[in-house]
Amino acid sequence: MHDSGADDNQVTDEAGGVDRVFLALERELAVFLRRARASSGELAREVHPDLESAAYGLLVRLGDVGQQRATELAGYFGVGKATMSRQLRALEDLGLISREPDPADGRAVLVRLTDEGQARFTRVRNGRRARYARRLASWDRGEVAELARLLHRLNEEQEADARSAAPCGECRGTAREE
């Protein structure tokens, strides 16, 4: 485990007056996020050598919820329509997604994983889950559950903050990154 350097007996850093616990949290989250970004790139290349790392999150979302409108995806990720359109076009060009008219609204388009996209994504996701299981094999299951619970709580609070700060038209989406 990465040493946070936090001393529970000393609450603040004397030089800056900053709470050492929050400094340790910031440091550990920075390391975790740096590694997660690198991992997303690796996972994306496992799905397809030409897949951008940012697009992997789209596959995760579509794998989790099934077909969705492009505007819902853009709102979920907190990106503009142009960015979403570019990412979806790249996924479509790779044969990983398809776009079909929404039967409920002919003006809207539904995005879904193709059979090939689903197969590639499932293979990579299963491999990632197996790596997590190996990495955390020495942890007590209760510790893993507690980590998941705390990360969920942090994500929920960040999403609530993002919703309350978003202009009204964007209130439906969240800024969760996969």
Side-chain angles (χ1 to χ4, degrees), residues 58 61 68-85 87-88 111 169-170 172-176:
L58 283 168
R61 180 68 177 164
Q68 256 193 326
R69 290 182 178 187
T71 54
E72 291 171 323
L73 290 167
Y76 180 80
F77 287 104
V79 299
K81 291 178 186 178
T83 299
M84 183 55 56
S85 180
Q87 290 179 347
L88 291 175
V111 179
E170 298 174 22
R172 293 182 313 270
T174 62
R176 176 179 287 184

Side-chain angles (χ1 to χ4, degrees), residues 7 25 30 35 39-40 47 52 56 59-60 64 68-69 73 77 98 111 120-122 131 136 165 170 173:
D7 179 354
L25 174 63
R35 289 179 178 159
S39 177
S40 284
V47 171
E52 293 179 24
Y56 182 78
L59 299 179
V60 171
D64 286 346
Q68 256 193 326
R69 290 182 178 187
L73 290 167
F77 287 104
S98 66
V111 179
R120 286 174 176 250
F121 170 69
T122 299
R131 285 190 293 275
L136 300 175
E170 298 174 22

Side-chain angles (χ1 to χ4, degrees), residues 28-65:
E28 295 306 320
L29 282 174
V31 170
F32 180 78
L33 292 171
R34 186 181 70 240
R35 289 179 178 159
R37 279 191 294 274
S39 177
S40 284
E42 293 167 11
L43 294 168
R45 286 185 294 281
E46 285 182 44
V47 171
H48 192 285
D50 298 328
L51 186 63
E52 293 179 24
S53 61
Y56 182 78
L58 283 168
L59 299 179
V60 171
R61 180 68 177 164
L62 292 170
D64 286 346
V65 302

Side-chain angles (χ1 to χ4, degrees), residues 2-174:
H2 192 263
D3 181 15
S4 68
D7 179 354
D8 290 337
N9 295 325
Q10 186 176 8
V11 176
T12 60
D13 177 342
E14 293 172 13
V18 179
D19 188 324
R20 288 178 137 297
V21 171
F22 287 98
L23 287 173
L25 174 63
E26 178 184 38
R27 186 174 30 258
E28 295 306 320
L29 282 174
V31 170
F32 180 78
L33 292 171
R34 186 181 70 240
R35 289 179 178 159
R37 279 191 294 274
S39 177
S40 284
E42 293 167 11
L43 294 168
R45 286 185 294 281
E46 285 182 44
V47 171
H48 192 285
D50 298 328
L51 186 63
E52 293 179 24
S53 61
Y56 182 78
L58 283 168
L59 299 179
V60 171
R61 180 68 177 164
L62 292 170
D64 286 346
V65 302
Q67 64 185 14
Q68 256 193 326
R69 290 182 178 187
T71 54
E72 291 171 323
L73 290 167
Y76 180 80
F77 287 104
V79 299
K81 291 178 186 178
T83 299
M84 183 55 56
S85 180
R86 182 185 59 78
Q87 290 179 347
L88 291 175
R89 190 170 31 259
L91 288 169
E92 192 172 32
D93 290 347
L94 295 174
L96 301 173
I97 63 150
S98 66
R99 296 190 243 196
E100 302 161 357
D102 184 345
D105 180 355
R107 299 167 297 165
V109 174
L110 291 174
V111 179
R112 69 167 187 83
L113 291 173
T114 61
D115 290 344
E116 177 70 14
Q118 182 69 53
R120 286 174 176 250
F121 170 69
T122 299
R123 177 183 51 79
V124 171
R125 181 178 246 188
N126 288 343
R128 180 181 67 175
R129 288 176 175 166
R131 285 190 293 275
Y132 279 142
R134 282 192 305 275
R135 190 171 294 137
L136 300 175
S138 65
W139 288 36
D140 177 87
R141 286 187 60 81
E143 291 174 319
V144 175
E146 181 68 359
L147 177 60
R149 185 189 70 76
L150 291 170
L151 287 172
H152 177 77
R153 180 177 171 189
L154 178 63
N155 286 328
E156 288 293 312
E157 289 175 8
Q158 287 179 320
E159 289 173 9
D161 287 348
R163 282 191 301 272
S164 67
C168 189
E170 298 174 22
C171 294
R172 293 182 313 270
T174 62

